[in-house]
Amino acid sequence: MDPAPPSPSRPAAGQRVPMGVAEPAARPDLRRETVAFLGLGALGTPMAANLLAADFPLTVHNRNRQREEPLAALGARRAANPWEAATGSTLLCLCLSDDAAVRAVLLEGPDAASGGLAPGSLVIDFSTIAPASSEELAARLRERGVAYLDAPVTGGTEGARAGTLSVLVGGNEWDLERARPLLEVVGSRVSHFGPVGAGQRVKAVNQVLVAGSYGAVAEALALGERLKLPMEQVCEALMDGAAGSWALRHRSANMLEGRFPLGFRLALHHKDLQIALEAAAATGLELPLSARVAAIEAELMAAGHGDEDVSALARWFAPHPEPPPLATPSPVPSAEAAAWDQRYREGRDGWELGAPAPPLDAFLREDPLRPLPPGEVLVPGCGRGHEAALLAELGFEAIGLDLSGEALQEARRLHGADRPGLRWLQADLLDAAALRSAGLADGSLQGVVEHTCFCAIDPSRRSDYLAAVTRLLAPGGWLLGLFWCHTRPGGPPFGSDPQQLADQLRRAGLIPLLWEPARGSRAERSGEWLGLWQLPAGRD
């Protein structure tokens, strides 16, 4: 690896930097910098992906190391810890959840990033934290000869993927000009508001506006529904008038449907709103509207909705009951359905009438899935519904799908026909129209868990199956499966080489986060592979 190029020269101590210069005569070239990115969450991952797409060399690290995999597949270098990521990097980007996380990653312990930063390097903190914390961090880093910009962003995951975030900057203007080429990749508007801490103060104002606009939309929709108005038509009519807002345009449909995929996590907005309320209190100002929204958010978090989008405020104003169990959304071909019923009765679904798959069970109950965003997860070929019920137990919104009506009848008996977070659907995964009529739109799923359908399906149709899965997955969504890499005596031709299976999955646009022989498989099924594959977050 080539040695890191020298950092751009910085003004001498006490030297005044000319202000109000829009374009310095010798503007720094980002491609001469070395960049590290720490924090690969819903915003950080697409931001880092945009830097890679713009051909900037990048080192990444995340506490959940699996989140590094999609970026590594795009060309990023992985670092084992924050110190290693920072070592040799002249620009260090942070996009972390709160003050404690930023302080821990940057300053605390032997693996802290600050230990790897050389004098003359620059920290660009995209996190939303208290202004006082930014000022403290800047002072601590200044002692090491390291500069700091607080640069919180707004625009949600949509803006992060499109590179159209608004970046709210506090810090030295020279440092801003040095960082500007990078900032203009992640955001379409870069605004400088003054010294360190100013960006965080502007973000506090932003979060007050978000609280008011989301709360107003949720409240207005609840009123319209109680007045029995055609609310989709009402929203369309009001979007371009005085009542129009980003929240009305981009989140009203989700609120009306009672579905709240990320955007921006409600718990994080609650944290940000507390910062704004504390800043207001320090000036003697009361923010009664924001305080009420914060109280509502606290109630929703206590009820388990903190990981949903901020638009989940609509749950408080207009609670949506769990959907009833779904019947067949459209007629299933009787001959095909009868054949699957017969397979189920004879135990030829591959798992003795839908018995649990031990390696899949163990994986679902352990840590790897827990950091993945919550949302709807489909279990095709669900049989008796064991994995679907387990997903519901773990907090996902699980949908068990099967062609066999007898299998679904047994699943309902075992796990409940109206259990919260769990519903059943008799349909063919390849019948897109049927799935749409059941509410499964393209890009609506956070994940798919399966251990029979991919292998039991006719091999000539596997590409169609994978196309159906990737079409249903949201960007960043995942496929977890127990893949059979053998032929079971007397059974269908399941046998495939693991490399061939991996190639099929890659051709479908998926990236491997885990691909290994399945531990805990039954002896006669030693050819099973456990795979966790992800659809890149930057996919259009």
Side-chain angles (χ1 to χ4, degrees):
M1 180 179 294
D2 294 335
S7 301
S9 59
R10 295 175 52 79
Q15 178 180 342
R16 183 176 177 83
V17 178
M19 302 298 288
V21 180
E23 187 83 5
R27 182 170 174 173
D29 180 2
L30 181 64
R31 289 161 180 79
R32 293 179 58 82
E33 307 268 15
T34 51
V35 184
F37 205 110
L38 307 182
L40 304 175
L43 293 179
T45 294
M47 291 166 72
N50 284 336
L51 293 177
L52 285 169
D55 296 327
F56 299 140
L58 193 67
T59 298
V60 297
H61 173 76
N62 194 73
R63 182 176 58 179
N64 173 8
R65 302 297 308 282
Q66 291 179 349
R67 293 188 181 276
E68 300 167 11
E69 290 285 357
L71 293 164
L74 296 174
R77 185 179 75 88
R78 300 177 68 186
N81 54 53
W83 178 88
E84 182 182 312
T87 301
S89 298
T90 57
L91 296 178
L92 174 66
C93 301
L94 306 176
C95 192
L96 302 167
S97 59
D98 54 29
D99 301 54
V102 173
R103 189 173 287 108
V105 166
L106 200 53
L107 297 176
E108 296 174 1
D111 294 334
S114 60
L117 291 172
S121 52
L122 171 63
V123 173
I124 305 169
D125 190 358
F126 294 117
S127 316
T128 298
I129 59 177
S133 295
S134 289
E135 293 163 350
E136 175 198 351
L137 293 169
R140 296 278 297 274
L141 292 170
R142 195 179 304 119
E143 295 171 356
R144 300 170 177 262
V146 175
Y148 175 92
L149 292 174
D150 64 301
V153 297
T154 181
T157 53
E158 295 96 335
R161 287 193 293 267
T164 57
L165 294 167
S166 289
V167 188
L168 315 172
V169 183
N172 182 282
E173 187 163 342
W174 172 266
D175 296 325
L176 169 58
E177 289 308 310
R178 176 180 175 184
R180 189 178 292 278
L182 182 150
L183 300 179
E184 289 178 345
V185 170
V186 301
S188 59
R189 180 186 292 271
V190 179
S191 302
H192 185 214
F193 294 98
V196 168
Q200 299 295 353
R201 292 183 175 90
V202 176
K203 183 62 182 287
V205 173
N206 178 85
Q207 299 305 65
V208 168
L209 288 167
V210 168
S213 60
Y214 275 67
V217 171
E219 194 171 77
L221 296 185
L223 174 62
E225 288 180 320
R226 280 162 175 73
L227 296 175
K228 302 192 183 305
L229 295 172
M231 289 310 297
E232 293 83 357
Q233 182 181 350
V234 169
C235 291
E236 187 68 29
L238 300 181
M239 280 180 187
D240 295 321
S245 68
W246 191 96
L248 180 64
R249 182 171 297 277
H250 294 280
R251 293 293 182 263
S252 58
N254 289 347
M255 291 182 179
L256 290 171
E257 293 173 2
R259 302 180 186 277
F260 309 102
L262 293 177
F264 183 66
R265 191 168 284 114
L266 182 141
L268 291 181
H269 180 261
H270 181 74
K271 178 264 300 182
D272 295 353
L273 202 51
Q274 294 300 323
I275 293 173
L277 290 168
E278 291 168 8
T283 70
L285 175 67
E286 292 186 11
L287 301 177
L289 297 179
S290 296
R292 183 59 183 137
V293 172
I296 292 171
E297 289 179 339
E299 291 185 35
L300 291 170
M301 290 163 61
H305 301 298
D307 286 336
E308 294 178 331
D309 183 71
V310 185
S311 54
L313 282 167
R315 286 190 183 276
W316 193 91
F317 292 100
H320 289 265
E322 291 293 332
L326 291 173
T328 304
S330 62
V332 175
S334 58
E336 189 171 4
W340 279 91
D341 285 345
Q342 183 67 24
R343 287 172 62 84
Y344 179 79
R345 286 192 296 272
E346 295 176 0
R348 289 191 294 115
D349 63 349
W351 285 105
E352 287 78 37
L353 303 179
L360 209 51
D361 279 23
F363 188 84
L364 284 168
R365 290 187 182 279
E366 293 172 1
D367 290 339
L369 270 182
R370 306 304 291 165
L372 291 172
E376 286 194 326
V377 179
L378 183 69
V379 186
C382 67
R384 289 186 174 185
H386 179 83
E387 276 72 35
L390 180 54
L391 285 163
E393 175 187 322
L394 295 174
F396 295 94
E397 297 290 324
I399 305 167
L401 177 147
D402 208 294
L403 262 177
S404 169
E406 294 193 12
L408 289 177
Q409 182 177 358
E410 181 70 1
R412 288 187 176 94
R413 185 187 67 80
L414 289 171
H415 306 294
D418 56 357
R419 177 173 165 184
L422 181 62
R423 53 189 171 124
W424 309 103
L425 175 63
Q426 185 183 4
D428 186 343
L429 182 67
L430 302 182
D431 188 345
L435 297 183
R436 280 195 297 272
S437 70
L440 298 185
D442 292 355
S444 65
L445 293 178
Q446 185 58 47
V448 172
V449 174
E450 68 96 57
H451 71 264
T452 56
C453 195
F454 179 80
C455 301
I457 201 167
D458 185 324
S460 66
R461 302 173 72 196
R462 285 181 185 167
S463 60
D464 295 334
Y465 170 85
L466 284 172
V469 168
T470 54
R471 185 177 65 248
L472 289 170
L473 285 177
W478 42 270
L479 166 66
L480 171 66
L482 192 64
F483 299 90
W484 301 344
C485 302
H486 60 89
T487 300
R488 186 180 179 189
F494 300 147
S496 293
D497 179 83
Q499 185 59 52
Q500 291 174 339
L501 287 173
D503 288 344
Q504 283 182 296
L505 291 159
R506 286 191 178 93
R507 286 196 296 272
L510 298 164
I511 294 173
L513 303 182
L514 173 69
W515 184 242
E516 62 183 29
R519 295 182 293 274
S521 292
R522 302 175 188 184
E524 71 273 17
R525 293 175 184 150
S526 58
E528 294 163 356
W529 280 59
L530 186 66
L532 179 63
W533 295 73
Q534 187 173 44
L535 196 66
R539 184 192 77 157
D540 292 334

